[in-house]
Amino acid sequence: QVQLVESGGGLVQAGGSLRLSCAASGRTFSRHAMGWFRQAPGKERKLVAAISWSGANRYYADSVKGRFTISKDNTKSTVYLQMNSLKPEDTAVYYCAAKGGALATIVASYDSWGQGTQVTVSS
């Protein structure tokens, strides 16, 4: 497992941008696929974006395609989520997560989780 710490959340107006960062500790970070999930109050946690260990493959939920970009810097052991054109419905706690092996879209596939960072988008 790796230890993950998210940062970069906050309050932003609709149409604005935020960049989330997730710093990882652990020597095997470069071998991990990473995902960004979000959970709104009273709702289940859902995958927003994921990236393979090499960065070559990416997945985006339909709701964020064209607005969010996931990237991974193995030299800094950090994964990013650039969020543009934010909407009120993007409001949630955002979590990063890691898993060994291939990229996956199932929540239960990820075995390391950060503590989450709040993103609030005002209308």
Side-chain angles (χ1 to χ4, degrees), residues 15-83:
S17 298
L18 283 174
R19 187 176 82 155
L20 305 183
S21 300
C22 175
S25 61
R27 291 179 294 176
T28 61
F29 174 79
S30 62
R31 302 289 182 89
H32 282 72
M34 302 294 295
W36 281 100
F37 295 77
R38 67 187 182 189
Q39 187 168 19
K43 296 188 176 181
E44 63 180 4
R45 191 171 299 187
K46 293 185 176 180
L47 179 64
V48 173
I51 189 167
S52 62
W53 67 268
S54 67
N57 298 306
R58 292 173 172 85
Y59 165 88
Y60 296 97
D62 287 343
S63 59
V64 306
K65 280 181 182 176
R67 301 188 298 122
F68 290 12
T69 302
I70 188 171
S71 60
K72 188 174 186 268
D73 187 339
N74 287 332
T75 65
K76 297 182 178 179
S77 297
T78 301
V79 62
Y80 304 96
L81 185 68
Q82 178 66 44
M83 305 186 295

Side-chain angles (χ1 to χ4, degrees), residues 11-17 84-90 120-123:
L11 173 64
V12 64
Q13 289 187 333
S17 298
N84 299 327
S85 302
L86 282 161
K87 304 175 181 180
E89 51 263 43
D90 294 318
T120 303
V121 184
S122 63
S123 57

